[in-house]
Each structure stands twice: as C-alpha cells, then as structure tokens.
Amino acid sequence: MLDVAVAYNRFKFLGDEFLTWLWFVIEQDTSVLRNTDPDLSSFEIGNRIVLEKKHEKSFERITITGEDAGLEEAKVALKNGALVAELNLVYRSAQQKWQFTLKGESLNLSSLKTPKTVPPENPDDVEGSVLDKIFLYDKILQLLEKLYKTFIKLRTSNDWQSRIVPLIKKWIPSS
C-alpha cells in the first residue's frame, strides 16, 4: 500500500489534467456534460483560470481574470505545455445558476455561490431552508463526482492516448 504522501505526489497531476480535459469538453464535446447531467442548461468557464507549467528547475503560473477576459493567452500557455491548475466555472440547470472555483491539485471546491433560496418565514421553516441549501451544494458535488469518474475511466482507457489526447492537441491551436 502506498503511503498517502507518496500517492499524493505521484498522482496530483490528475487534477490538472482533469481541469484541462473539462475545459476541452466544455468547448468541444458538450455531449459528455449532457450525459453526466440531463438537467444541464449550460456549463461554462467563469471569470478566472490559472495555468501552470512545471519545469525541472522552474515554475510558471499564468492567471487570467475578468468577466470578459479572452482565453487566447490561456490557449498559448496550453500550447507551450501548461495545464489548468484552477478553473472558475458557471453551471446552469433550469432557471438556477451555480458559480464556483475548482482547484486541480486537490480538487478543492471554493467560492461556491448557489442559487438563492427562500428565507424561512418562521422558525418551523428553518429546517426546510437548510435542506434546500444542502441539496444545492450536493447537486454540484454529485456533478463533479460524475465528471471526474468519467474522466478517470477515459484516462485509464486505451482511448486516452489514441483518441482523446490528439483531439485535445488539435483543439488547442484551433481557437
């Protein structure tokens, strides 16, 4: 059995690969998203993306922020070997909107903004309001879990090197 620290260091690249793949899927293959969540209205890149390129002796980090920020610089960084390390995402389902940031190395979810819930009108309604909020948090966690499972199945299959990596490499300079 691997020591936790050894396993973490050996496989921490998977989170960055997952976020890079997710960006690719958002732009090129939304069927993967729709298969994961039939209620999905849209899933898009939000207002922040961080890319990292690790060299033997150096480390490069590119951060792109802003509501109308173009992703051209991010694509150039991908072309030069960087991977997505942090991604702000906007998920819409029906009339509801979630926005959150996902970090690749740890798959930590942060800055989660869920759809607004109805405030309780009296003390008896507090439990229902809490359950509504828990449901909204859980919806995102379930979505990310399903997407990650899809990614891991693909990443460990023969299709990854033969089909997916060439598609991603073709996508990078095309935008």
Side-chain angles (χ1 to χ4, degrees), residues 21-50:
W21 170 82
L22 188 56
W23 180 13
F24 164 75
V25 166
I26 287 169
E27 287 196 2
Q28 297 292 306
D29 191 5
T30 55
S31 66
V32 171
L33 300 170
R34 298 209 187 286
N35 289 341
T36 303
D37 181 8
D39 298 333
L40 175 105
S41 297
S42 71
F43 202 44
E44 54 205 41
I45 306 299
N47 59 10
R48 186 168 198 263
I49 184 169
V50 177

Side-chain angles (χ1 to χ4, degrees), residues 5-170:
V6 172
Y8 175 79
N9 286 322
R10 185 178 296 173
F11 299 109
K12 68 182 177 181
F13 69 92
L14 284 173
D16 293 350
E17 283 189 4
F18 169 63
L19 293 182
T20 304
W21 170 82
L22 188 56
W23 180 13
F24 164 75
V25 166
I26 287 169
E27 287 196 2
Q28 297 292 306
D29 191 5
T30 55
S31 66
V32 171
L33 300 170
R34 298 209 187 286
N35 289 341
T36 303
D37 181 8
D39 298 333
L40 175 105
S41 297
S42 71
F43 202 44
E44 54 205 41
I45 306 299
N47 59 10
R48 186 168 198 263
I49 184 169
V50 177
L51 296 101
E52 293 179 351
K53 183 176 181 184
K54 296 166 181 119
H55 305 280
E56 267 183 44
K57 297 177 183 177
S58 65
F59 175 79
E60 197 175 333
R61 174 177 261 195
I62 298 101
T63 302
I64 299 164
T65 59
E67 291 302 323
D68 295 323
L71 297 176
E72 298 81 20
E73 283 183 61
K75 289 284 185 92
V76 170
L78 284 178
K79 191 174 184 178
N80 291 328
L83 292 173
V84 178
E86 195 173 309
L87 196 54
N88 183 267
L89 296 161
V90 178
Y91 165 74
R92 288 183 176 86
S93 176
Q95 306 299 327
Q96 298 178 312
K97 174 184 167 185
W98 289 256
Q99 187 162 0
F100 57 95
T101 299
L102 190 59
K103 296 185 183 207
E105 185 176 310
S106 60
L107 294 178
N108 274 353
L109 189 67
S110 63
S111 304
L112 176 59
K113 294 177 186 165
T114 62
K116 299 229 183 276
T117 56
V118 178
E121 292 180 14
N122 59 56
D124 294 336
D125 295 341
V126 171
E127 184 178 343
S129 292
V130 169
L131 290 174
D132 285 346
K133 204 61 157 174
I134 289 170
F135 171 78
L136 294 172
Y137 279 98
D138 192 52
K139 185 156 177 75
I140 285 300
L141 294 174
Q142 294 295 321
L143 172 69
L144 292 173
E145 183 178 331
K146 288 176 186 174
L147 284 169
Y148 194 71
K149 281 181 181 177
T150 301
F151 166 74
I152 289 298
K153 284 180 185 173
L154 194 56
R155 180 66 177 82
T156 57
S157 74
N158 292 333
D159 274 357
W160 182 255
Q161 285 299 327
S162 64
R163 191 174 66 81
I164 302 303
V165 170
L167 286 172
I168 292 173
K169 285 182 178 180
K170 183 178 177 184

